[in-house]
């Protein structure tokens, strides 16, 4: 129910992202986990962000993408859950 959880499905984001022809860079913030990315960006042609070199992501999950910014995006590092409490 958090604002972060709605980062991908937010109607304003979807409207602007559609206007911007679904440029990949927007997903870095609105659905930042690797499994949320339909394509993996391997580089840029002539350093142009509008011309990415891509490959399909075999671990892509459309349902997970719609979850937006999950807790794991900030609170899991190297397989370890981080938070304000020792447990």
């Amino acid at each position: 129910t958090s604002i972060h959880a709605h980062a991908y499905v937010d109607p304003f984001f979807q409207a602007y992202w559609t206007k911007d022809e679904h440029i990949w860079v927007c997903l870095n913030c609105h659905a930042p986990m690797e499994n949320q990315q339909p394509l993996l960006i391997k580089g840029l042609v002539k350093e142009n962000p509008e011309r990415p070199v891509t490959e399909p992501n075999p671990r892509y999950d459309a349902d997970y993408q719609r979850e937006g910014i999950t807790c794991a995006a900030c609170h899991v590092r190297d397989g370890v859950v981080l938070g304000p409490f020792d447990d």
Side-chain angles (χ1 to χ4, degrees):
T1 61
S2 72
I3 292 172
H4 280 121
H6 293 96
Y8 180 80
V9 296
D10 175 74
F12 290 106
F13 165 68
Q14 286 294 323
Y16 279 102
W17 193 42
T18 298
K19 180 184 86 50
D20 291 335
E21 299 179 358
H22 296 108
I23 189 167
W24 63 274
V25 74
C26 296
L27 292 181
N28 288 347
C29 293
H30 288 267
M33 304 295 287
E34 181 178 335
N35 292 16
Q36 295 173 307
Q37 308 295 319
L39 299 171
L40 299 175
I41 309 303
K42 295 301 184 180
L44 301 173
V45 175
K46 297 184 179 179
E47 299 183 28
N48 182 344
E50 294 181 5
R51 297 185 61 204
V53 177
T54 65
E55 68 180 43
N57 182 356
R59 292 182 294 249
Y60 170 63
D61 182 330
D63 290 333
Y64 191 44
Q65 183 182 56
R66 285 187 289 279
E67 291 184 22
I69 303 168
T70 66
C71 299
C74 297
H75 292 282
V76 175
R77 294 287 180 265
D78 299 322
V80 177
V81 178
L82 305 174
F85 305 107
D86 290 337
D87 61 354

